[in-house]
Amino acid sequence: MIGRLRGEILVKRPPHLLIEVGGVGYELEAPMSTFYDLPPVGATVTLVTHLAVREDAHVLYGFARERDRDLFRALLRVSGVGAKMGLAILSGMDAERFARCVEQEDVHALTRLPGIGTKTAQRLLMEMRGRLDALGAGVAVLTAGRAAPGSPGRGCADEALADAVSALVALGYKPADANRMARAVDDGATTSEEIIRAALKAAG
């Protein structure tokens, strides 16, 4: 089992990451709650990970905080919740906010996330109520700070928008909705992570 990686970020294309560790490139998927805190490409990062073994693939997921990984693992044990939905939940809210939703039985907040209907939200609230206490406090394990925002040109802005749309689709939004959400973001957002964060915030 691969539980932790420390290496250089080679590619950041939400929700996908490529991290080089000792000459080996590891492909990971990560929620936006992790992407928001990642340093720039070329920097060193440490992530806690979860390896999902399927018949057709081995998929590695990366998280900035142990608490987020613990929540992801707990979500996978809920009937009808898979890895894609787990990433969507952790992209729309962090573990602390999810815990508040469960405590307050806030079905509406969960149904605003892609792929979660009322019945699924109710099942999440019911099955997760007794599991939250078992989740660790979680601490950030990132070892490098975030990069200061630059001033990208038009081409970079178009690429960031396209990456943001692709990420939203990967999280479960329909292509038309993802395109609308990303383009509705204020022009002050210049990176794909900023666009996605603003789009998810507006959707929530």
Side-chain angles (χ1 to χ4, degrees):
M1 180 68 73
I2 301 173
R4 186 172 180 266
L5 285 179
R6 174 182 169 84
E8 178 187 350
I9 300 176
L10 299 183
V11 176
K12 282 200 311 181
R13 190 168 296 132
H16 303 287
L17 278 172
L18 179 62
I19 297 179
E20 182 177 3
V21 181
V24 178
Y26 288 85
E27 294 181 342
L28 303 91
E29 294 186 27
M32 290 312 303
S33 56
T34 289
F35 269 91
Y36 297 147
D37 291 327
L38 287 178
V41 171
T44 298
V45 70
T46 301
L47 298 174
V48 292
T49 59
H50 171 79
L51 177 62
V53 179
R54 305 197 310 249
E55 291 184 2
D56 58 341
H58 290 191
V59 184
L60 192 62
Y61 299 93
F63 304 89
R65 289 162 289 275
E66 291 183 11
R67 183 174 174 84
D68 287 344
R69 181 183 62 178
D70 291 343
L71 174 56
F72 180 77
R73 288 173 169 173
L75 288 169
L76 294 182
R77 293 195 290 271
V78 175
S79 175
V81 176
K84 184 175 182 178
M85 186 177 293
L87 287 183
I89 291 172
L90 278 166
S91 292
M93 58 182 67
D94 59 18
E96 288 75 15
R97 185 179 171 197
F98 180 83
R100 288 197 300 272
C101 285
V102 174
E103 291 169 358
Q104 298 168 5
E105 299 186 354
D106 191 349
V107 172
H108 184 61
L110 293 177
T111 56
R112 289 198 295 264
L113 300 173
I116 299 182
T118 301
K119 290 184 178 179
T120 300
Q122 291 173 339
R123 185 166 62 249
L124 278 167
L125 295 179
M126 181 179 65
E127 295 194 28
M128 291 298 297
R129 192 173 296 118
R131 298 178 183 177
L132 290 178
D133 291 341
L135 298 181
V139 294
V141 294
L142 291 173
T143 57
R146 298 180 63 187
S151 300
R154 183 68 252 172
C156 292
D158 289 341
E159 183 178 352
L161 180 64
D163 286 346
V165 172
S166 296
L168 290 169
V169 170
L171 291 174
Y173 288 99
K174 296 179 180 178
D177 292 336
N179 188 61
R180 174 185 52 77
M181 291 167 62
R183 291 185 180 278
V185 171
D186 182 78
D187 290 339
T190 57
T191 67
S192 59
E193 289 89 350
E194 290 173 343
I195 294 171
I196 296 165
R197 183 200 290 266
L200 292 175
K201 184 177 180 180

